[in-house]
Amino acid sequence: MEKIVSLTKRRGYVFQSSEIYGGLNGCWDYGPLGVELLRNLKEEWWRAMTYRNDIEGIDAAILMHPRVWEASGHVENFTDPMVDCKECKARFRADQIEDAMCGNPAYKGKKAHKCASEGKFTEARKFNLMFKTFVGPMEDSTAVVYLRPETAQGIFVNFLNVQAASRQKLPFGIAQIGKAFRNEINTKNFLFRTREFEQMEMQYFVRPGTDMQWFEYWREQRMQWFVELGMRKEKLRWHKHEAHALAHYAKDAYDIEYEFPFDWGEIEGVHNRTDFDLSRHEEFSGKSLKYFDDETKEKYTPFIIETSAGTSRSFMAFLVDAYAEEEAPTADGKMETRVVLKLHPRLAPTKASIFPLVNRDGMPEIAKNIEKELRPHLRVFYDDSGAVGRRYRRQDEAGTPYCITVDSQTLQDQTVTVRDRDTMVQERVAMDKLLEYLRTKLIM
Ligand code: ATP
């Protein structure tokens, strides 16, 4: 994990938030390559979800009416049990003591549960994970609003607006990508548990009685999505929520888990939320959220199947999955270890890098021309500094799937070499066929 965190900083994927001030716990910034990967990831999700007839997109506000969070159960139930160590003052989630390390530098390497067993912990208290703020100039209880802890509620409260505006019939879904905030007691494992993060959520509204069939359908679709974007199957598994661990609203729930270097961890949840959400919003708002079925002339509250992915957690899972260290030959035939990010071409921040082999004989001019022609279609990068072997290694680390080199043969026959990041095999391709070649390879 340390190697990956260091690579992400070195290559400009992720930086610590407010680093020059010592950082802010649980917050991270996406750098130039990170933001491209993040955008590509969201684009893939958006296409998979909304480029179909039965799903509409929305982008709801982060701040919502405070009653929303009463109806959803967050004000009452969105809590973690918290304990403090009376000795070192470190704070822990009571249900995560087993794995936690003592927070006091003086006790470095000491397990927190030892303190717990020695009776140094306070009684567990409920801690609400929602960030509170105020609307308007008065900082009193009537002005309290919350930063949304999930994007789902913005979808539920808009159910009838979207249905009426888009004239959708059940079953249909609403998709949204956006920031969510949770005041996690302990943030850890890089992007895995942060206080500000992004979610990609889709809520699918179905007729009661057909819910389990749709639940199975969405489970399959969502697992498939990760696999199609190159994630190794053996690193993915399902975790079923047992009856006693089911959330108050859920009839059935599964998590997609990825095997991170530290442990298996949830990257997406697929939940059968029943009619809980719409019924509660109906009750709290006093507005009907029932669906009228034109064909059967029935009025009912739909059930909801939710697919809820963490964008930041998926981002990290794709990075971890792509990271490889391999033995590779250098230009003079020796072997060295190369670090390579084998990101799926559709996710890769830069699609192709263009190099003149040397900075003379007209090669830079030809390479610049290629760059100019490809740039409107693909995100490309021009690099003419250092030995070509070093340039390849830099692009391997950045996850760029193709490197195009203009060499002396280019001057004779207008072909260039195209090197594949994963196999390192080089092919000669005619310059005027480059765009077409990359288009098929990048599966655009
Ligand atoms: P966990 O049990 O790990 O706290 P959760 O069950 O509370 O997660 P959900 O409420 O189902 O998570 O949220 C859906 C998705 O949002 C999760 O699968 C995860 O990818 C992402 N997510 C939730 N909390 C965080 C967080 N603190 N940091 C980053 N991503 C998060």
Side-chain angles (χ1 to χ4, degrees):
M1 205 54 220
E2 265 166 35
K3 282 184 180 170
I4 293 169
V5 175
S6 130
L7 170 91
T8 57
K9 174 162 187 203
R10 191 168 68 244
R11 300 303 319 179
Y13 272 94
V14 180
F15 307 126
Q16 200 181 7
S17 158
S18 328
E19 191 188 84
I20 59 168
Y21 289 97
L24 180 67
N25 210 340
C27 298
W28 298 89
D29 298 339
Y30 292 89
L33 292 188
V35 73
E36 290 298 330
L37 171 56
L38 195 71
R39 287 172 65 105
N40 293 343
L41 182 63
K42 289 190 276 187
E43 183 59 24
E44 285 303 319
W45 186 88
W46 195 252
R47 276 169 184 259
M49 285 302 184
T50 68
Y51 285 24
R52 40 187 288 161
N53 288 336
D54 58 347
I55 301 186
E56 308 288 341
I58 62 162
D59 187 358
I62 287 173
L63 301 177
M64 300 181 75
H65 195 290
R67 290 278 282 166
V68 167
W69 307 108
E70 289 173 33
S72 67
H74 282 82
V75 170
E76 199 185 338
N77 296 318
F78 199 53
T79 56
D80 277 339
M82 176 177 74
V83 291
D84 292 303
C85 175
K86 288 183 244 172
E87 194 169 300
C88 75
K89 310 290 179 224
R91 189 158 275 182
F92 300 97
R93 255 176 77 168
D95 56 341
Q96 289 179 353
I97 295 283
E98 272 314 301
D99 303 325
M101 303 302 282
C102 181
N104 186 343
Y107 297 99
K108 200 165 186 269
K110 192 178 165 191
K111 288 268 187 168
H113 66 82
K114 290 204 94 181
C115 297
S117 64
E118 289 162 17
K120 291 180 191 155
F121 278 5
T122 58
E123 285 294 302
R125 303 187 303 289
K126 276 187 173 182
F127 173 73
N128 195 298
L129 300 186
M130 283 196 293
F131 279 100
K132 263 188 201 166
T133 186
F134 303 93
V135 281
M138 302 298 284
E139 295 199 359
D140 61 25
S141 59
T142 57
V144 166
V145 289
Y146 301 96
L147 298 191
R148 64 179 177 200
E150 61 178 27
T151 55
Q153 301 301 326
I155 296 181
F156 303 144
V157 300
N158 275 302
F159 161 63
L160 278 188
N161 280 342
V162 174
Q163 192 263 327
S166 57
R167 305 180 58 196
Q168 284 282 0
K169 291 192 186 336
L170 252 57
F172 82 96
I174 305 177
Q176 173 169 224
I177 299 177
K179 290 263 177 150
F181 304 82
R182 296 184 188 179
N183 201 358
E184 301 278 1
I185 298 171
N186 297 124
T187 57
K188 60 176 180 184
N189 293 329
F190 194 32
L191 305 174
F192 187 80
R193 190 171 301 286
T194 56
R195 296 202 166 103
E196 175 177 342
F197 57 96
E198 212 166 7
Q199 291 186 314
M200 305 182 287
E201 293 197 307
M202 193 282 299
Q203 312 290 335
Y204 203 70
F205 301 85
V206 305
R207 186 188 167 88
T210 62
D211 48 309
M212 284 316 286
Q213 159 201 334
W214 285 109
F215 180 67
E216 289 310 324
Y217 169 83
W218 281 110
R219 279 209 317 130
E220 196 189 315
Q221 294 288 310
R222 294 309 304 148
M223 184 61 100
Q224 199 51 30
W225 185 78
F226 287 101
V227 174
E228 273 170 17
L229 283 175
M231 215 175 258
R232 286 169 292 171
K233 268 192 183 147
E234 65 274 20
K235 293 278 177 184
L236 289 162
R237 74 174 185 194
W238 284 109
H239 164 75
K240 180 177 167 60
H241 292 213
E242 295 307 332
H244 65 89
L246 275 180
H248 54 283
Y249 51 75
K251 175 168 161 187
D252 206 352
Y254 279 81
D255 296 334
I256 298 178
E257 292 189 337
Y258 180 79
E259 190 179 18
F260 290 100
F262 46 86
D263 202 354
W264 287 91
E266 170 186 342
I267 50 176
E268 172 157 351
V270 182
H271 309 132
N272 181 342
R273 300 184 65 114
T274 67
D275 60 358
F276 175 84
D277 307 283
L278 294 181
S279 305
R280 291 278 288 193
H281 284 303
E282 196 167 82
E283 183 189 331
F284 279 67
S285 69
K287 303 271 163 36
S288 168
L289 290 176
K290 292 200 171 47
Y291 170 77
F292 179 69
D293 189 325
D294 270 346
E295 278 159 33
T296 63
K297 308 290 176 218
E298 285 169 290
K299 218 173 180 187
Y300 55 85
T301 309
F303 268 39
I304 295 174
I305 308 302
E306 163 180 83
T307 70
S308 173
T311 318
S312 341
R313 274 195 202 170
S314 310
F315 172 99
M316 181 167 136
F318 277 112
L319 266 184
V320 166
D321 203 65
Y323 182 92
E325 287 177 15
E326 293 177 347
E327 288 302 297
T330 59
D332 51 9
K334 295 203 189 92
M335 294 304 273
E336 67 171 7
T337 305
R338 72 163 185 153
V339 171
V340 52
L341 280 186
K342 296 185 171 182
L343 290 166
H344 191 287
R346 289 210 302 266
L347 294 181
T350 308
K351 307 301 183 195
S353 199
I354 303 144
F355 314 147
L357 184 63
V358 289
N359 281 318
R360 56 182 151 76
D361 302 336
M363 291 183 209
E365 289 73 16
I366 300 175
K368 280 268 170 208
N369 255 336
I370 295 176
E371 182 202 3
K372 203 170 133 207
E373 279 185 18
L374 295 181
R375 198 174 282 292
H377 310 279
L378 302 167
R379 196 167 178 281
V380 293
F381 179 74
Y382 179 86
D383 188 6
D384 60 5
S385 67
V388 76
R390 293 260 65 85
R391 287 181 250 168
Y392 282 149
R393 292 289 176 271
R394 284 203 290 267
Q395 293 310 312
D396 288 345
E397 275 202 349
T400 308
Y402 296 99
C403 288
I404 299 162
T405 305
V406 173
D407 54 17
S408 49
Q409 197 178 323
T410 312
L411 310 176
Q412 322 282 318
D413 64 5
Q414 278 76 49
T415 64
V416 288
T417 67
V418 181
R419 171 192 181 264
D420 181 293
R421 175 196 66 200
D422 300 343
T423 61
M424 292 185 283
V425 169
Q426 303 191 9
E427 268 187 82
R428 288 214 79 89
V429 178
M431 272 197 296
D432 59 357
K433 296 273 184 305
L434 260 180
L435 182 60
E436 202 181 309
Y437 176 90
L438 290 173
R439 273 221 168 102
T440 49
K441 288 280 187 187
L442 294 167
I443 328 166
M444 304 300 268

